[in-house]
Amino acid sequence: MQSRLFAHGTFRDAGNSRKFEVRNPANGSVIAPVADGGPDDAHAAVDAAAAAFPSWRALTALERARPLRRLAELMLRDAERLADLCSQECGKPLAEARTEVAYAASFLEWFAEEGRRVYGETIPASDPAKRLMVLKRPCGVAAAITPWNFPLAMVTRKMGPALAAGCTQVVKPAEQTPLSALAIAELSVEAGLPAGVLNVVPGSGAAAIAGVFFERPEVRHVSFTGSTEVGKLLIRQSADRVVRVSLELGGHAPFIVFDDADLDAAVAGAIASKFRNAGQTCVCANRFLVQRGIHDAFVERFAAVVAALKVGDGRAPGTQVGPLIDDAGLAKAEAHVADAIAQGARAATGGRRVRVDGCADRFLEPTVLVGVTPAMRCFREETFGPVAPVCAFDREEDAVRMANDTPYGLAAYVWTRDGARIMHVSEALDYGIVGVNDALPAVAQAPFGGVKQSGLGREGGRQGIEEYLDLRYVSWRIGK
Ligand code: SIN
């Protein structure tokens, strides 16, 4: 397991030789002491990325695609090892971690190809002696600040487009999950990625490392996935040097079930969306809006399936719901349950902590709350935990109004068999992603991102690579 920072193609200790402990959230055990990179290490990594940029940019897209594709293959070759590491670091069940490895590799495959389709433009000139062109050029060194809930996939979702575009990159992985990012770095050497193209600086002081990214003129793009609160700080920091930022921030996804929905499919979708990674994804359903006519049947079936979910250490066979990432995460989810109950909601199932043998006190019963109203915290804030608040509605316009009544706009879900309604509601929802009878819409080839306070820019899809490209307009006078 690689636990040292990665710059200019080599692994080394932090300049100050300090280390921090990365722990398994399920049982608190130390997975590894990891190099605690600081500002000097971030500067060295930016130096390495800046030095590698001219030669990486000069390669053809096809040449850049080769190591990216090879890295995807190596990740799939080592899928079991990577999944186990990912599960240890963030607590997600092994089955989910295996899916994440494939998801992570898919971003490298997609962008290796997409790099070959960075087309420019020619524009009809008004002067016959001129030719007008638009070229697309890699913007420079890109920095990525990645979250703990997808320790592999959020690295490759930023790395794939940056490197395919011709940028070089410095990654600051989440303090909780740096080992997965370092495992990718290790495989990148085997994949033949030239030194300095990818650099990884783990560290316990994210703000100091991010400060270096905003200070250094070579860094032209900062991509961040995490909370809206931190995203706003980064926007402010980006102002001084006018650095481009891409932000994937908080969500508060409504999951709307209409009377005519396929009940079994809606319940299966609700489980998949809500309890993925114990409710700790930005696109997890965060509130269930269920039409009055199907409400009781939905709640009964949903609660029965939720009550049977197996909670435990992500690496234990059969686990479906793992721990919360830390004590603060558990406390927030519990506070949302307590607030709802105090204001008159009822737990149809769950609501309390679960003791898991040999594990830390980090587990909450998968919970379904009924009788939830818009006044409750769970209806207004992102819970980021295994809590499903259900609220009844009467008319389509009520559901849309309640769904849009939030500063967030990342993902929304709609369950209905009515084609016209699918179109109306998809158009009316103020969200970047709408899953229609689909609980897991995110794929490498589609644009992922939010509106309002859920973020800026898109990752994935043909749009994802544009974030890393500068437009250059060339006006060429070819004659007198
Ligand atoms: C996220 O939580 O930001 C990522 C979710 C996904 O890619 O499906």
Side-chain angles (χ1 to χ4, degrees):
M1 180 190 308
Q2 194 44 258
S3 60
R4 297 190 301 164
L5 62 82
F6 182 64
H8 198 64
T10 54
F11 289 92
R12 60 168 180 79
D13 290 328
N16 56 18
S17 302
R18 279 216 312 256
K19 292 184 191 298
F20 67 104
E21 287 178 339
V22 174
R23 290 176 183 270
N24 181 330
N27 56 29
S29 65
V30 176
I31 307 169
V34 173
D36 194 358
D40 290 348
D41 299 301
H43 277 294
V46 173
D47 288 343
F53 179 57
S55 50
W56 182 247
R57 174 180 58 182
L59 294 181
T60 64
L62 196 56
E63 287 167 325
R64 286 196 294 266
R66 279 189 201 114
L68 290 177
R69 231 184 278 118
R70 180 75 187 126
L71 179 55
E73 286 164 10
L74 295 174
M75 289 183 72
L76 296 175
R77 180 197 70 186
D78 290 358
E80 217 35 52
R81 176 177 70 84
L82 293 174
D84 186 60
L85 184 59
C86 171
S87 172
Q88 281 189 68
E89 282 198 300
C90 75
K92 71 175 57 175
L94 261 180
E96 276 187 43
R98 290 187 186 109
T99 308
E100 182 176 342
V101 176
Y103 186 44
S106 74
F107 288 108
L108 298 173
E109 283 165 4
W110 169 257
F111 283 111
E113 290 304 314
E114 222 25 44
R116 299 164 68 181
R117 290 185 279 273
V118 174
Y119 304 131
E121 235 181 285
T122 57
I123 302 171
S126 25
D127 179 340
K130 283 189 179 187
R131 297 294 180 271
L132 314 183
M133 291 168 275
V134 178
L135 310 180
K136 292 186 178 178
R137 306 290 299 151
C139 63
V141 173
I145 306 172
T146 59
W148 50 263
N149 60 347
F150 288 87
L152 297 161
M154 296 305 105
V155 172
T156 56
R157 189 151 84 182
K158 297 179 191 306
M159 175 189 168
L163 271 49
C167 295
T168 53
Q169 195 168 47
V170 181
V171 178
K172 159 68 180 86
E175 181 185 342
Q176 297 90 335
T177 59
L179 295 163
S180 297
L182 291 169
I184 293 174
E186 194 171 23
L187 289 176
S188 78
V189 177
E190 190 181 342
L193 205 63
V197 171
L198 173 71
N199 307 273
V200 180
V201 185
S204 58
I209 294 174
V212 172
F213 296 156
F214 287 107
E215 183 188 324
R216 290 289 298 265
E218 300 92 332
V219 177
R220 297 304 314 150
H221 181 278
V222 177
S223 173
F224 168 73
T225 297
S227 71
T228 296
E229 197 187 345
V230 174
K232 288 179 185 177
L233 289 175
L234 299 182
I235 292 174
R236 289 190 191 104
Q237 276 184 284
S238 71
D240 280 348
R241 275 202 310 105
V242 193
V243 179
R244 199 186 307 181
V245 287
S246 300
L247 304 170
E248 300 299 343
L249 308 178
H252 185 35
F255 188 103
I256 307 171
V257 184
F258 285 98
D259 282 347
D260 68 332
D262 174 333
L263 185 55
D264 288 338
V267 168
I271 299 286
S273 172
K274 177 69 254 183
F275 296 101
R276 181 174 174 226
N277 202 13
Q280 302 170 108
T281 89
C282 305
V283 291
C284 275
N286 207 52
R287 52 211 164 114
F288 292 80
L289 307 177
V290 185
Q291 204 163 17
R292 197 85 54 193
I294 201 175
H295 176 272
D296 292 355
F298 176 83
V299 167
E300 192 186 334
R301 272 203 224 180
F302 185 38
V305 182
V306 172
L309 290 172
K310 186 161 185 262
V311 177
D313 182 335
R315 294 166 84 207
T319 292
Q320 292 166 295
V321 180
L324 278 295
I325 189 71
D326 55 23
D327 294 343
L330 176 63
K332 183 175 184 192
E334 279 186 311
H336 279 198
V337 173
D339 169 76
I341 304 278
Q343 294 198 59
R346 175 178 68 80
T349 185
R352 289 162 308 183
R353 289 188 187 195
V354 195
R355 287 296 313 166
V356 176
D357 283 349
C359 283
D361 190 12
R362 284 275 171 71
F363 297 83
L364 187 66
E365 285 176 334
T367 300
V368 177
L369 297 171
V370 286
V372 167
T373 68
M376 298 174 186
R377 278 186 72 190
C378 60
F379 200 88
R380 308 216 67 80
E381 297 170 26
E382 187 177 31
T383 305
F384 234 59
V387 179
V390 183
C391 184
F393 73 87
D394 292 303
R395 296 167 313 159
E396 182 179 307
E397 53 268 41
D398 299 332
V400 169
R401 184 180 36 75
M402 288 158 91
N404 285 344
D405 182 19
T406 168
Y408 299 103
L410 184 54
Y413 304 90
V414 182
W415 296 77
T416 175
R417 286 189 259 221
D418 179 332
R421 169 174 280 159
I422 286 171
M423 225 41 243
H424 291 152
V425 176
S426 299
E427 286 169 4
L429 286 170
D430 216 355
Y431 285 81
I433 302 165
V434 180
V436 178
N437 300 326
D438 183 6
L440 301 170
V443 286
Q445 64 270 33
F448 182 102
V451 299
K452 293 157 76 179
Q453 295 190 26
S454 285
L456 295 173
R458 291 293 180 270
E459 294 187 318
R462 66 179 173 76
Q463 296 82 357
I465 200 164
E466 300 291 336
E467 304 277 326
Y468 297 89
L469 295 165
D470 284 335
L471 294 186
R472 184 165 310 154
Y473 163 52
V474 177
S475 174
W476 179 11
R477 172 170 289 284
I478 56 172
K480 290 208 173 144

